[in-house]
Amino acid sequence: MPVLIPPIVVGLHFLPLAAVFEQPRLRVLAALLIAAGASGMVVWLANGPDKTVRFMVGLISALCLWGMAIWTVTGAASSAERGVRE
């Protein structure tokens, strides 16, 4: 099922990037994207409709990416606040 490949492959790519950029939080994103692909696989194996598989994988992946973006922005903002106060 082609819809399952992108989140799993993208998730796997984040694992070495976490080490290269020294950002351990990218491992969390990698695990979540791999889980998104795996959840789609479960629906697909249960003979769920392709539309449902695509929706589920897409929604979970989008939420993971938005969550990571928010986590990154709030982390940067709190770091900046600590830098100003020192």
Side-chain angles (χ1 to χ4, degrees), residues 34-59:
I34 292 168
S39 67
M41 178 71 78
V42 169
V43 173
W44 183 68
L45 288 173
N47 293 321
D50 291 348
K51 186 186 260 186
T52 303
V53 173
R54 284 191 299 275
F55 176 76
M56 186 168 188
V57 171
L59 179 65

Side-chain angles (χ1 to χ4, degrees):
M1 182 89 194
V3 73
L4 304 176
I5 295 169
I8 293 172
V9 170
V10 171
L12 290 172
H13 278 81
F14 275 106
L15 292 174
L17 289 176
V20 169
F21 293 120
E22 297 177 356
Q23 294 292 322
R25 74 176 69 191
L26 290 178
R27 290 188 188 113
V28 174
L29 181 58
L32 292 172
L33 288 172
I34 292 168
S39 67
M41 178 71 78
V42 169
V43 173
W44 183 68
L45 288 173
N47 293 321
D50 291 348
K51 186 186 260 186
T52 303
V53 173
R54 284 191 299 275
F55 176 76
M56 186 168 188
V57 171
L59 179 65
I60 294 171
S61 296
L63 291 173
C64 293
L65 292 168
W66 273 101
M68 180 57 66
I70 292 167
W71 186 15
T72 300
V73 169
T74 57
S78 67
S79 293
E81 284 179 9
R82 281 183 273 155
V84 171
R85 292 181 183 160
E86 290 182 6

